[in-house]
Amino acid sequence: MKPDWEGPLGEAYARAMSYLKDLPVRRVGPRDTASDLRAKLGGALPEGPSDATQVISSLADNVEDGLLPSGSGRFFGFVFGGATPTALAADWLATAWDQNAGLYAASPAAAVVEEITAGWLVELFGLPKQTSVGFVTGAQMANFTGLAAARHAVLAKAGWDVEADGLIGAPPIQVLVGAERHDTVDRALRFLGLGTRCIVPVAVDGQGRMRPEALAQELDGGPTIICAQAGNVNTGAIDPLDEICELKQDAWVHVDGAFGLWSAVSTPMRGLAKADSWATDAHKWLNVPYDSGLVLCAHPEAHRAAMSVRASYLIHDDEQRDALDYNPEFSRRARGFAVYAAIRALGRQGIAELVERCNAMARRFADQLAPYVLNEVNLNQVLVRFGNDDLTRRVVKAVQQEGTAWMSGTTWQGRAAMRISVSNWTTSEADVDRSVEAILRCVEIEQARSTQG
């Protein structure tokens, strides 16, 4: 049977273009509830085949009102980026090419593109030239991979081969990390078998930055990993990396820079290159489609020791780059194509301008919401609070339901807050101004309800 590519792919293209073109005017938020979606999409298991084009058409119709338009210029929830046209187009091609990017032998093109892109990333961030790079799903697996390399290195210094002997009987590892860390660090330590009791929380300042003097008091000379942060998920604050790296002694310094690492393209980050490993996302500030995380390691031998595998049934290439030496996945999609295309299209200057524009839009939010702002707005994160926890949470919910913009709620140092994350390449001054108007309108309505209640 001759396959029909044009029918379903043509329908998908038409639906995708309609969605993308409507983003600037689309309601920012889903309309359907989970029950609505189950009713539209569910039913009995299909017993026989269906027309492929009709399946795509029906799928698009039925999920339409359950989508969260995170690619909108007025989406400020979590730290989601959008997708630039070049990156999205490359990602479409990556899906059509359907390459398994685990081995050079499985896709020479994917392997070489990742090799080239890795070199560009190292240069963009100003890291040591020998730094190795792995292309993973997101910052969760980037943190996992960087900390796996750290686990290998600190235990090897103590005379322990963790890859061969496991952790039973191994010297204990101390993990020093700021009290306002991201939970992906804790989760990675669980995955790695270290557990969360190895964590020693280090005191932070009012913006969530690790205090170097508090770190110095916790260093005990044993196997130690220090987890620093470039871009606190609530405030955007960056730990004093230079001072942390000066204090580290024999410890391994891992930097969780899920979004903040990209700010180094615009403004060099003191001490960044002195760390040992770094984690970031391309699907945040580079605006590459999901999923696209990156792990970088200044010690390729530790990186490979933690990740690589050899088997007789695989075709390994000693002269070319096998991606599975640098990431935990075996079979995986060729994520490097989209990252390559994004960097190729934007260049260093374009990436720096994207970062600076988002920061400027965050400051615009902060200026217009000044009475409510909790944090120093140095990057793209703005924390606002409307008097008390109850009112703040109700305003967050009201804004989400109103549909002009979408912001997420958070808890910052024990207090409820609204978190505004400006990470999209399309966000304009008009988007910010419309969103501020919606927020203030919701504040007024919710305050009136409180008074009436």
Side-chain angles (χ1 to χ4, degrees):
M1 180 186 295
K2 185 178 179 181
D4 174 19
W5 296 110
E6 292 185 4
L9 288 177
E11 180 69 13
Y13 176 78
R15 295 303 190 111
M17 291 306 297
S18 175
Y19 175 80
L20 293 168
K21 288 178 179 178
D22 283 350
L23 277 176
V25 296
R26 187 183 177 103
R27 180 183 188 277
V28 188
R31 296 181 186 275
D32 278 353
T33 64
S35 297
D36 295 330
L37 292 167
R38 291 188 190 103
K40 291 179 180 180
L41 294 159
L45 171 69
E47 291 294 336
S50 299
D51 178 76
T53 302
Q54 182 56 40
V55 168
I56 297 303
S57 176
S58 176
L59 173 65
D61 283 341
N62 290 329
V63 304
E64 174 72 16
D65 288 335
L67 297 173
L68 181 61
S70 55
S72 168
R74 294 188 310 283
F75 182 87
F76 306 105
F78 311 111
V79 195
F80 290 179
T84 63
T86 310
L88 180 55
D91 200 56
W92 281 358
L93 283 175
T95 299
W97 291 333
D98 196 24
Q99 301 290 282
N100 185 332
L103 295 167
Y104 173 84
S107 181
V112 171
V113 162
E114 287 194 3
E115 176 191 306
I116 292 167
T117 308
W120 289 349
L121 289 163
V122 170
E123 187 175 350
L124 275 170
F125 296 136
L127 303 180
K129 288 185 178 180
Q130 80 277 6
T131 297
S132 52
V133 180
F135 293 76
V136 295
T137 53
Q140 175 67 80
M141 294 315 294
N143 280 328
F144 168 85
T145 306
L147 291 170
R151 182 186 66 172
H152 165 87
V154 300
L155 287 179
K157 284 181 182 177
W160 189 269
D161 185 342
V162 67
E163 282 74 34
D165 299 324
L167 287 171
I168 298 174
I173 295 175
Q174 174 185 233
V175 179
L176 304 176
V177 61
E180 292 290 349
R181 63 194 175 276
H182 195 278
D183 283 343
T184 51
V185 171
D186 298 48
R187 196 167 181 233
L189 294 171
R190 285 165 43 205
F191 292 167
L192 288 164
L194 295 173
T196 55
R197 286 201 178 96
C198 72
I199 294 173
V200 179
V202 177
V204 297
D205 67 13
Q207 298 300 308
R209 291 179 288 250
M210 190 187 297
R211 293 184 180 275
E213 68 277 12
L215 173 65
Q217 291 174 6
E218 300 293 352
L219 289 164
D220 66 5
T224 300
I225 300 169
I226 301 169
C227 291
Q229 190 169 219
N232 179 282
V233 75
N234 282 303
T235 67
I238 296 171
D239 283 344
L241 301 176
D242 200 35
E243 294 174 75
I244 289 169
C245 289
E246 288 297 320
L247 288 168
K248 72 174 186 175
Q249 302 170 20
D250 286 333
W252 178 291
V253 175
H254 173 74
V255 178
D256 175 11
F259 65 94
L261 198 64
W262 293 98
S263 68
V265 182
S266 170
T267 305
M269 204 177 291
R270 285 186 60 222
L272 183 67
K274 297 178 183 179
D276 299 286
S277 58
W278 307 263
T280 193
D281 281 322
H283 56 231
K284 286 190 170 68
W285 243 349
L286 190 60
N287 280 234
V288 164
Y290 278 87
D291 52 27
S292 187
L294 302 162
V295 59
L296 305 99
C297 184
H299 311 282
E301 67 288 348
H303 194 169
R304 287 191 299 269
M307 291 292 121
S308 66
V309 64
R310 291 291 180 269
S312 60
Y313 49 83
L314 299 176
I315 302 174
H316 298 283
D317 197 308
D318 292 334
E319 296 183 3
Q320 306 299 336
R321 183 182 185 276
D322 283 331
L324 58 73
D325 287 341
Y326 302 99
N327 56 263
E329 297 97 347
F330 208 123
S331 298
R332 64 171 180 84
R333 65 183 279 107
R335 298 185 186 95
F337 289 126
V339 183
Y340 172 92
I343 296 174
R344 189 86 180 183
L346 291 168
R348 185 197 300 273
Q349 182 178 346
I351 297 170
E353 289 174 352
L354 193 163
V355 168
E356 290 163 2
R357 186 165 62 253
C358 288
N359 292 347
M361 294 303 101
R363 290 192 295 272
R364 190 176 183 90
F365 265 114
D367 289 344
Q368 296 185 51
L369 296 171
Y372 309 111
V373 175
L374 297 178
N375 66 314
E376 299 168 4
V377 181
N378 296 317
L379 284 185
N380 62 331
Q381 302 295 104
V382 186
L383 275 183
V384 292
R385 175 177 167 84
F386 307 104
N388 59 59
D389 287 357
D390 179 64
L391 178 59
T392 299
R393 292 186 180 115
R394 286 194 286 114
V395 171
V396 170
K397 186 175 182 180
V399 171
Q400 292 174 351
Q401 293 175 340
E402 194 264 357
T404 298
W406 204 98
M407 290 82 172
S408 50
T410 189
T411 300
W412 173 245
Q413 297 186 342
R415 297 185 294 170
M418 172 188 283
R419 182 164 61 115
I420 302 170
S421 301
V422 189
S423 310
N424 191 297
W425 67 285
T426 66
T427 296
S428 66
E429 292 183 352
D431 286 324
V432 173
D433 295 347
R434 279 188 62 190
S435 300
V436 169
E437 288 173 6
I439 292 170
L440 294 177
R441 189 163 56 247
C442 289
V443 170
E444 186 176 347
I445 292 169
E446 294 303 321
Q447 283 176 334
R449 286 178 179 168
S450 296
T451 302
Q452 291 168 3

